[in-house]
Amino acid sequence: MMNCTGLSMIRAIGLGLSIALLGSCSNSKKSSGPFTPAAQVNPSLDQRVIERAYRAGEANDFFAISGSQLNQDLILMGFERFMALQRGVLLTRQLRDNFTALGYFQQTTKAGLAELCDQDREFLALAAATSSLADRPKGYPDDTIGCENGDTVVAVPLGFDAKIFAVSPLNTFANSIDLKVLAEASRKANGNLRWSDLNPEWPARLVRWAFPVHMPFTTHMQRLGVQLPDNLLLASNYTKIFEAANKDPDILIYSFFSPTLNARLQGSNFRILPVQNRLLGAPVMPSVKTIKKTYPEALETEIMLFVNTSRSKSCIALSFADFLLTFNELILYEQNMAPLLPETRRKTLKRLRQIEVSDDFQSIPFCQIAAQSQSSGKRSVGE
């Protein structure tokens, strides 16, 4: 992964890789991360065994997920919580020194789905950000997607994010973005858009577009009808993009809403602009409350988890998906994302818990959780 401190012109992007082994979330020598609450709930859990396995990098099971950089924190932090909870409730005799590692590989949705269906690859799931029907795989929004090799992929909605526009605090003139005006003005200017093209009271200076390099921004702009100039500023990740706003009043950032929280915590200073897409409607500011309600649908992004249920050990991925849905509101709000509507969450959980779990997985502790759900008659889903 790239670790840049500013913006740059990016010509080639390598494969990003992040690994989260149970317990690796903490850098403190005084804390064992999720092991501590697990051991408190289950005192028979041998702390030394866990720490030794972590140091040695041992793992009986490996859970590989591909996905966008945008969803990385959601998956890694969610998995850390999932493992801590399960280790707190499972008996030591069930665990049998079993340690499950998660590998998160940054990948586009299209490439990730291809590898999810590839029998020569080890991926169990794909965490995708789908911005429109055109982004979604063939068969969506059906509950299941068939691979050419006969494997079955289950689509699990998790929540929502949104695209936003942001400017520098030095920009004291721009107060909102009208999507229709933006599209028409950019095409009329042949991509060389000036602020005064959007509002005659604004300065006649060129708009300097800035995008995260991992975002398919050209596709997004085409769908909005916006024509871009030849020169763009690209940032290496979704947090660093907001540093562009610190000193340049003519920067116009187009990125996702969820990373804005981390960007502010890391000291970036910027203003998010409300967006108007209705002739008579007032501009709407993005938030976890407005994304699914009043914010423009054209800027909405659905966060999805696709699980290949035909894979060996797929029950680990299904149990993890169950966890993300059960604690959906808490986990999504923590990531500055909008959770599912309650009815959608209930229906998705019910469907997920009806998926058959093979008896071959009884030796995997976290698959036993899924198997127990089956034998108990498909657990009821609460609020």
Side-chain angles (χ1 to χ4, degrees):
M1 291 176 57
M2 304 179 66
N3 184 18
C4 304
T5 57
L7 295 176
S8 60
M9 297 303 293
I10 308 296
R11 297 184 181 275
I13 302 299
L15 176 66
L17 169 63
S18 294
I19 297 292
L21 181 65
L22 176 60
S24 62
C25 61
S26 175
N27 293 322
S28 172
K29 294 182 179 179
K30 297 181 180 180
S31 171
S32 58
F35 300 139
T36 301
Q40 290 173 347
V41 175
N42 187 351
S44 63
L45 202 59
D46 189 339
Q47 194 82 357
R48 290 173 298 177
V49 172
I50 296 176
E51 292 175 352
R52 183 173 66 249
Y54 167 53
R55 289 194 302 269
E58 299 171 355
N60 301 102
D61 300 312
F62 187 80
F63 178 20
I65 294 182
S66 63
S68 67
Q69 185 190 77
L70 178 71
N71 295 327
Q72 180 171 302
D73 287 349
L74 170 67
I75 297 301
L76 295 184
M77 296 182 69
F79 188 75
E80 174 193 319
R81 283 179 170 234
F82 168 66
M83 295 296 285
L85 175 65
Q86 305 298 26
R87 289 195 170 277
V89 299
L90 285 173
L91 299 175
T92 303
R93 60 178 176 79
Q94 290 177 299
L95 289 172
R96 295 188 304 279
D97 291 346
N98 181 284
F99 300 94
T100 299
L102 168 68
Y104 190 93
F105 299 80
Q106 289 180 17
Q107 188 69 278
T108 63
T109 298
K110 183 177 180 180
L113 280 167
E115 295 200 341
L116 191 60
C117 287
D118 188 343
Q119 291 180 336
D120 294 328
R121 304 293 285 171
E122 297 294 331
F123 293 108
L124 295 183
L126 166 71
T130 59
S131 301
S132 75
L133 288 175
D135 288 337
R136 296 166 184 168
K138 184 178 181 181
Y140 188 91
D142 294 341
D143 294 340
T144 59
I145 303 162
C147 300
E148 291 183 359
N149 61 11
D151 284 2
T152 299
V153 173
V154 174
V156 183
L158 297 179
F160 301 91
D161 204 336
K163 277 82 69 177
I164 63 165
F165 297 90
V167 295
S168 168
L170 300 177
N171 182 326
T172 58
F173 49 87
N175 50 22
S176 67
I177 290 290
D178 187 312
L179 293 181
K180 183 178 180 180
V181 172
L182 176 65
E184 293 177 350
S186 67
R187 293 195 301 270
K188 185 176 181 180
N190 197 29
N192 299 309
L193 183 69
R194 296 180 180 274
W195 288 104
S196 56
D197 296 331
L198 301 177
N199 187 322
E201 297 181 359
W202 297 353
R205 300 193 299 264
L206 286 172
V207 174
R208 300 187 65 212
W209 285 97
F211 301 93
V213 73
H214 291 277
M215 171 188 271
F217 58 88
T218 54
T219 302
H220 291 187
M221 291 291 106
Q222 289 171 0
R223 290 173 184 161
L224 292 175
V226 175
Q227 184 174 344
L228 294 175
D230 293 333
N231 296 320
L232 305 169
L233 289 173
L234 303 180
S236 61
N237 63 54
Y238 287 108
T239 301
K240 293 295 183 183
I241 183 69
F242 293 99
E243 293 181 4
N246 287 343
K247 299 180 180 179
D248 193 336
D250 293 321
I251 286 286
L252 180 59
I253 295 171
Y254 179 82
S255 186
F256 282 102
F257 175 72
S258 60
T260 61
L261 178 59
N262 279 339
R264 291 197 189 280
L265 292 175
Q266 294 181 25
S268 294
N269 197 8
F270 54 91
R271 285 196 305 118
I272 299 176
L273 298 178
V275 180
Q276 180 174 344
N277 72 333
R278 299 186 183 94
L279 184 61
L280 300 177
V284 178
M285 182 68 76
S287 72
V288 294
K289 300 293 187 181
T290 63
I291 286 174
K292 192 54 184 170
K293 295 180 180 178
T294 56
Y295 197 63
E297 187 177 356
L299 299 177
E300 179 185 296
T301 292
E302 189 170 14
I303 306 302
M304 301 287 298
L305 186 69
F306 295 99
V307 179
N308 187 330
T309 59
S310 303
R311 298 275 192 185
S312 173
K313 304 177 183 178
S314 63
C315 51
I316 301 177
L318 292 173
S319 292
F320 180 45
D322 190 296
F323 173 83
L324 293 175
L325 289 170
T326 301
F327 300 96
N328 188 251
E329 188 171 282
L330 171 66
I331 294 173
L332 270 291
Y333 279 156
E334 191 174 64
Q335 296 301 315
N336 207 30
M337 293 177 173
L340 296 174
L341 298 175
E343 183 60 24
T344 303
R345 186 184 70 87
R346 283 193 293 268
K347 289 181 178 179
T348 305
L349 265 174
K350 181 179 180 180
R351 170 169 58 88
L352 197 66
R353 291 170 178 176
Q354 290 174 340
I355 297 174
E356 295 299 327
V357 178
S358 172
D359 293 336
D360 297 337
F361 302 147
Q362 293 299 319
S363 61
I364 304 174
F366 299 104
C367 287
Q368 291 181 29
I369 297 172
Q372 290 166 5
S373 300
Q374 294 293 321
S375 62
S376 63
K378 284 56 173 195
R379 295 165 292 173
S380 60
V381 181
E383 288 291 331

